[in-house]
Amino acid sequence: MNCRSEVLEVTVEARQVEESMLALLHTILLHRSTGKFHYKKEGTYSIGTVGTLDIDCDFIDFTFVRVSSEELDRVIRRAVSEFKDALSNSGSDGMGQISLEFYQKKKSRWPFSDECIPWEVWSIKVNVVNLANEQERQICREKVGEKLGEKVINVVEVINRHEYLPKMPTQSEVDNVFDTSLKDVQPYLYKITFQITDSLGTSVSTTMRRLIKDTLAL
Amino acid sequence: MEKINRKVAQPLTFRAVKGTANGPDNMDSGLSPQDKKDLDKFIKFFALKTVQVIVQARLGEKICTHSSSSPTGSDWFNLAIKDIPEVTHEAKKALAGQLPGIGRSMCVEISLKTSEGDSMELETWCLEMNEKCDKDIKVSYTVYNRLSVLLKSLLAITRVTPAYKLSRKQGHDYVILYRIYFGEVQLSGLGEGFQTVRVGVVGTPVGTVTLSCAYRTNLAFMSNRQFERSAPIMGIIVDHFVDPPCNSQRPANMGQPCNYRAPEDDDGPFAGVQDSQEVCTTSFSTSPPSQCVCTLSPSPSKLSKPLPLDSLQIPLAPGHVTHTLYASRLSYQPPALGGAAELSHPTANPNQVLHAGKEGGVVLAPAQPPHGADAHLTVEHAPNTPGSSGDDDGLSNSGYGRRDEGRRCASPSDPVESLNAFTRKIGAFVNKPSAQITAASLDLPFAAFAPRGLDSEENDPMVQPPDSPPCHSPLQASLHSQGSEGSGPQDDFVMIDFRPAFSKDDLLPMDLGTFYREFQNPPQLASLSLHISSQSMADDLDSLPEKLAVYEKNIDEFDAFVDMLQ
């Protein structure tokens, strides 16, 4: 199948990187998470309930909705924080990209390892700017808020096209489709990677690749 | 209705599908009865949940619900969305048993209403259905999941439109209202250049469900408005989410406020709002003092207008605010007040203090007797309501607040008696003959102090105060003028000549009050008086050369003076 790929681009101040990334990643994950599956006999299952939480950003005039799961929030925050550190340490002119990839696992026979087949990839390009004075920062605060709003609308637009989604798995295959490690919600299997572009704009003299999902560490 | 609820209580179960999305149940020609029933149920509850999400997003608070791994069965679309009973009630009332269909859209209109009563539509959310059918889709599975995703999208988008930020800041200057209607979409109130955002679509075998939002972009009227206002004003209507008994006074398209305080326990469909029904539309207006004529007189029968407490608008700040009402108002006799149509509270008593409860009820509680001519209006942060009707014959607290200060400084030793005795319209300390009361009946506030270009100076009591009548005590003096002016066409206006205590002074021939009156308004400058300015300019110019000659003669003196200064 073809992998759907979407690119979002934002221009933010250094202190807004974390919140803007969290906002977009959580918005995507909100749509790509379901409640926990409870399988019963005869292959039927019931789905748990997903709660939501409004999060106000401190450095951006924006509020986003995320799934009410502290575990998931911790995972995403850790990834974003690493990205932010990499971005600030790179010494480049502050361009980077964080990717959220949804994939399915396809079991292969031994000795071949499981394949990870992405079915949707969201790439968020970040451009960090430095502002001179407080007035510009205030304007940036509002502007970035509006931009993020537009990005959320873009995300929603893509998701509501209802294009390919993995079909609901049986109990034995649920781990190939969903991340069942969390106790309150169940997002589709995903991984977050990022890369920092150096000042030449080439795709990376130092590529940093962090695999957040433990199941992929082989 | 109960049957459906019981059915809802069962958790929705799904069958994991190994093959294609099309199951063997689907018929190309139509929908199975069970599927049709399920689909109708899904659409109905989707509509109700949509309304809940939209209204809750405009409450002005952050929403937080919890995930639960074990399904409770009552969480439609596997989302934890609380159900505010009043909102559900309104939605069901609007739907009236129908479902959104082709040509029949369910719309939620969000509008803003300022404390002055101006209102503006901000956005309209539309749940529509069009004819494009997706016959192959599986109802109980795909449609359900897609509706769930659409609800999540709605959660995200409701935080993005401009009305969200406005709703988070509601309270002092404005409130956010919602209105649900069913039928044709009306977008005319959104002004020019409104934008539309589509939240999403879900195809079903009977049509495609579309959810979209049209929002206003032209907020021009807002930018000029009183966001800079220092004195917060809040109308209090305690019948939020409930149709007030006096429905006829509100315009037909008035919305419900988005300001819900959830009670701790659910003790009934309208918990927390019951006490509000007793005191409905006790709304207060901030009409300027000119529009409010407070007429109190010793004999209630002579009243020209009743004194409805509901036409008062009280300034409000977050938390506790104490405002000093014009004390005489509270000593006002009941009979006329009882006639006030708006106040349906059976125990309405002018001696009571309005006390706003936390749940949004404004209950009248007995007040302390007006000692020191003070009555306190204590208001806590109460939910806002659609504004009051009939502001024109309301009282202005702001106007009275100012007067009250003046009054209190000069109150005689027996406040109750004197306050019962008078009616004021003209300013304090003014002892005007009755002929000038007509000026007071003008709509202008402080009309008595308006530039009196037409009045001649001789009759102006500010310049030439009338002689103070001999008096034995300050109290008798204050009642004296009342007696003299009791008769006549202006019966309702009784002037009091306030005499400050200890005002007799042997050194000065006049007392403090007279002194104050005399020098309160300085006399007009002679050069600005009309009759003097009628002198021609030519005379001035003619006298100039003579003046110059004199100055030149004395030039040495001037030079010496200047040298002295240096």
Side-chain angles (χ1 to χ4, degrees):
Chain A
M1 91 216 73
N2 290 329
C3 172
R4 191 164 55 240
S5 174
E6 306 295 335
V7 179
L8 306 167
E9 202 161 333
V10 288
T11 302
V12 295
E13 239 195 317
R15 63 182 184 167
Q16 295 170 325
V17 168
E18 185 159 5
E19 285 178 337
S20 53
M21 294 302 103
L22 282 174
L24 293 176
L25 292 175
H26 271 303
T27 300
I28 299 167
L29 279 166
L30 168 70
H31 290 86
R32 293 286 179 245
S33 302
T34 72
K36 296 286 286 179
F37 281 13
H38 295 276
Y39 284 95
K40 298 176 212 175
K41 55 187 195 310
E42 296 163 8
T44 59
Y45 62 95
S46 59
I47 308 181
T49 303
V50 171
T52 57
L53 198 53
D54 284 344
I55 305 289
D56 287 338
C57 295
D58 294 323
F59 299 111
I60 313 175
D61 269 348
F62 192 66
T63 302
F64 64 92
V65 182
R66 71 163 171 87
V67 167
S68 198
S69 164
E70 295 310 314
E71 279 179 275
L72 183 63
D73 187 40
R74 271 200 295 273
V75 171
I76 304 300
R77 278 185 187 273
R78 198 168 22 167
V80 168
S81 164
E82 286 174 11
F83 172 64
K84 187 186 75 167
D85 292 339
L87 206 53
S88 55
N89 293 339
S90 68
S92 68
D93 53 355
M95 282 179 60
Q97 177 177 298
I98 192 166
S99 298
L100 173 61
E101 183 184 300
F102 291 102
Y103 64 94
Q104 265 180 287
K105 264 202 289 202
K106 192 168 158 197
K107 293 259 183 247
S108 305
R109 289 194 203 156
W110 186 89
F112 302 108
S113 54
D114 290 341
E115 259 184 280
C116 296
I117 305 167
W119 52 270
E120 187 173 76
V121 178
W122 297 87
S123 303
I124 308 173
K125 290 197 172 137
V126 181
N127 193 10
V128 181
V129 294
N130 288 318
L131 297 176
N133 60 42
E134 199 52 43
Q135 193 188 5
E136 281 182 31
R137 280 194 201 105
Q138 186 60 34
I139 296 171
C140 182
R141 223 188 125 89
E142 292 162 11
K143 281 270 178 317
V144 170
E146 285 169 18
K147 276 288 168 206
L148 281 181
E150 286 172 29
K151 298 304 161 195
V152 164
I153 293 175
N154 290 350
V155 166
V156 161
E157 210 177 346
V158 167
I159 286 178
N160 275 275
R161 284 185 216 147
H162 299 299
E163 292 167 345
Y164 174 80
L165 274 184
K167 40 189 184 302
M168 288 297 151
T170 57
Q171 188 166 14
S172 53
E173 291 179 1
V174 69
D175 288 318
N176 293 341
V177 176
F178 286 102
D179 175 2
T180 52
S181 63
L182 304 170
K183 61 178 191 289
D184 42 12
V185 293
Q186 190 174 287
Y188 281 100
L189 278 175
Y190 68 94
K191 66 180 176 218
I192 299 179
T193 57
F194 57 85
Q195 52 194 37
I196 311 295
T197 358
D198 64 4
S199 45
L200 292 176
T202 58
S203 140
V204 185
S205 50
T206 46
T207 305
M208 289 179 61
R209 189 154 243 228
R210 289 291 302 235
L211 303 179
I212 307 298
K213 293 304 299 155
D214 293 341
T215 50
L216 293 177
L218 290 166
Chain B
M1 191 69 93
E2 280 179 39
K3 266 192 181 173
I4 292 176
N5 283 343
R6 258 187 252 123
K7 278 211 168 166
V8 168
Q10 302 304 316
L12 225 52
T13 56
F14 297 90
R15 182 170 291 275
V17 177
K18 273 195 171 159
T20 61
N22 290 339
D25 290 339
N26 270 354
M27 297 184 288
D28 288 325
S29 52
L31 220 49
S32 71
Q34 180 60 39
D35 276 350
K36 178 81 175 72
K37 211 164 104 183
D38 286 344
L39 186 61
D40 286 346
K41 206 162 49 162
F42 294 169
I43 293 179
K44 175 187 166 189
F45 281 95
F46 180 75
L48 295 177
K49 287 294 181 182
T50 296
V51 174
Q52 289 287 349
V53 168
I54 295 170
V55 173
Q56 287 174 27
R58 299 288 175 262
L59 288 180
E61 296 163 349
K62 293 206 289 192
I63 303 297
C64 168
T65 56
H66 298 288
S67 305
S68 156
S69 68
S70 43
T72 58
S74 58
D75 292 325
W76 272 94
F77 307 104
N78 310 118
L79 282 174
I81 298 172
K82 278 193 195 125
D83 279 324
I84 300 179
E86 288 82 358
V87 176
T88 306
H89 174 77
E90 288 291 322
K92 283 183 176 162
K93 206 167 72 173
L95 285 171
Q98 292 181 299
L99 286 179
I102 296 156
R104 297 190 318 264
S105 312
M106 192 191 74
C107 301
V108 182
E109 183 187 282
I110 301 290
S111 56
L112 178 149
K113 191 176 171 86
T114 62
S115 44
E116 283 88 33
D118 294 316
S119 70
M120 180 167 77
E121 269 174 49
L122 294 177
E123 36 180 44
T124 301
W125 298 83
C126 310
L127 178 61
E128 298 166 293
M129 189 83 124
N130 67 30
E131 302 100 1
K132 189 169 159 207
C133 303
D134 187 346
K135 298 257 184 236
D136 297 334
I137 203 168
K138 220 171 153 21
V139 168
S140 66
Y141 161 71
T142 311
V143 171
Y144 189 83
N145 285 338
R146 288 188 180 176
L147 288 175
S148 175
V149 169
L150 187 52
L151 267 183
K152 291 173 182 169
S153 301
L154 181 65
L155 280 163
I157 300 280
T158 43
R159 274 67 174 168
V160 159
T161 52
Y164 181 72
K165 289 199 188 113
L166 287 173
S167 68
R168 287 292 295 270
K169 294 182 196 150
Q170 71 180 295
H172 290 170
D173 297 314
Y174 61 90
V175 290
I176 303 290
L177 311 177
Y178 74 93
R179 180 172 81 95
I180 307 171
Y181 63 90
F182 193 71
E184 292 239 353
V185 180
Q186 299 152 21
L187 298 178
S188 52
L190 294 173
E192 283 181 15
F194 64 87
Q195 301 263 3
T196 310
V197 58
R198 197 168 76 164
V199 181
V201 296
V202 171
T204 76
V206 299
T208 300
V209 175
T210 312
L211 188 52
S212 61
C213 170
Y215 58 92
R216 168 185 281 272
T217 51
N218 179 16
L219 293 172
F221 130 76
M222 298 308 302
S223 54
N224 299 337
R225 269 338 205 180
Q226 299 82 347
F227 289 130
E228 297 83 24
R229 225 176 213 226
S230 53
I233 311 153
M234 185 149 76
I236 298 181
I237 294 185
V238 295
D239 56 344
H240 64 260
F241 303 122
V242 176
D243 285 339
C246 14
N247 216 356
S248 56
Q249 293 179 3
R250 289 167 57 180
N253 60 351
M254 181 72 75
Q256 309 293 335
C258 294
N259 201 330
Y260 175 75
R261 299 271 181 268
E264 289 306 321
D265 345 327
D266 267 339
D267 45 350
F270 299 107
V273 187
Q274 270 149 7
D275 49 355
S276 71
Q277 303 216 8
E278 298 178 41
V279 191
C280 75
T281 57
T282 36
S283 59
F284 298 46
S285 72
T286 40
S287 46
S290 62
Q291 291 177 355
C292 350
V293 175
C294 166
T295 60
L296 299 177
S297 68
S299 52
S301 58
K302 287 185 182 169
L303 271 179
S304 55
K305 280 177 192 172
L307 181 53
L309 280 173
D310 67 339
S311 47
L312 237 200
Q313 190 153 22
I314 44 181
L316 205 67
H320 236 75
V321 163
T322 304
H323 272 270
T324 307
L325 268 189
Y326 202 75
S328 62
R329 188 179 304 136
L330 292 191
S331 61
Y332 173 53
Q333 299 312 309
L337 178 62
E342 283 100 274
L343 213 55
S344 65
H345 187 49
T347 62
N349 187 321
N351 281 325
Q352 287 180 337
V353 160
L354 274 135
H355 182 85
K358 230 174 171 194
E359 273 81 38
V362 172
V363 293
L364 297 186
Q368 303 104 11
H371 48 76
D374 274 2
H376 290 272
L377 186 72
T378 311
V379 175
E380 290 173 4
H381 189 258
N384 299 310
T385 57
S388 58
S389 53
D391 293 340
D392 292 337
D393 47 345
L395 286 165
S396 161
N397 189 48
S398 49
Y400 281 91
R402 270 170 268 149
R403 298 292 167 83
D404 206 20
E405 302 302 320
R407 284 287 186 213
R408 275 186 296 138
C409 301
S411 60
S413 50
D414 191 353
V416 178
E417 192 175 345
S418 67
L419 291 170
N420 272 334
F422 74 90
T423 317
R424 132 255 154 306
K425 175 61 179 175
I426 318 227
F429 310 116
V430 172
N431 195 7
K432 283 208 172 302
S434 47
Q436 287 215 356
I437 289 175
T438 49
S441 56
L442 289 178
D443 273 351
L444 292 172
F446 304 97
F449 299 127
R452 290 179 297 275
L454 304 173
D455 289 346
S456 64
E457 284 184 358
E458 291 79 31
N459 290 339
D460 191 348
M462 299 311 292
V463 176
Q464 290 149 9
D467 296 331
S468 314
C471 57
H472 305 292
S473 78
L475 178 60
Q476 284 188 359
S478 60
L479 297 177
H480 161 84
S481 47
Q482 167 207 334
S484 63
E485 294 170 341
S487 60
Q490 305 293 336
D491 263 351
D492 295 339
F493 297 90
V494 176
M495 292 294 108
I496 288 287
D497 184 12
F498 270 131
R499 302 235 158 223
F502 310 107
S503 60
K504 280 289 179 209
D505 191 345
D506 295 329
L507 300 175
L508 281 173
M510 64 175 77
D511 65 2
L512 182 62
T514 319
F515 174 84
Y516 187 85
R517 276 197 300 280
E518 183 179 338
F519 294 103
Q520 186 177 35
N521 272 8
Q524 284 212 316
L525 289 177
S527 56
L528 295 178
S529 319
L530 282 171
H531 66 273
I532 292 184
S533 65
S534 61
Q535 278 183 349
S536 69
M537 185 92 98
D539 292 342
D540 290 335
L541 287 174
D542 287 341
S543 61
L544 266 180
E546 293 161 9
K547 291 186 188 162
L548 282 174
V550 168
Y551 298 147
E552 278 188 23
K553 206 166 65 173
N554 295 333
I555 201 167
D556 296 330
E557 278 184 39
F558 291 128
D559 286 342
F561 178 68
V562 169
D563 289 335
M564 185 179 71
L565 287 175
Q566 283 174 353

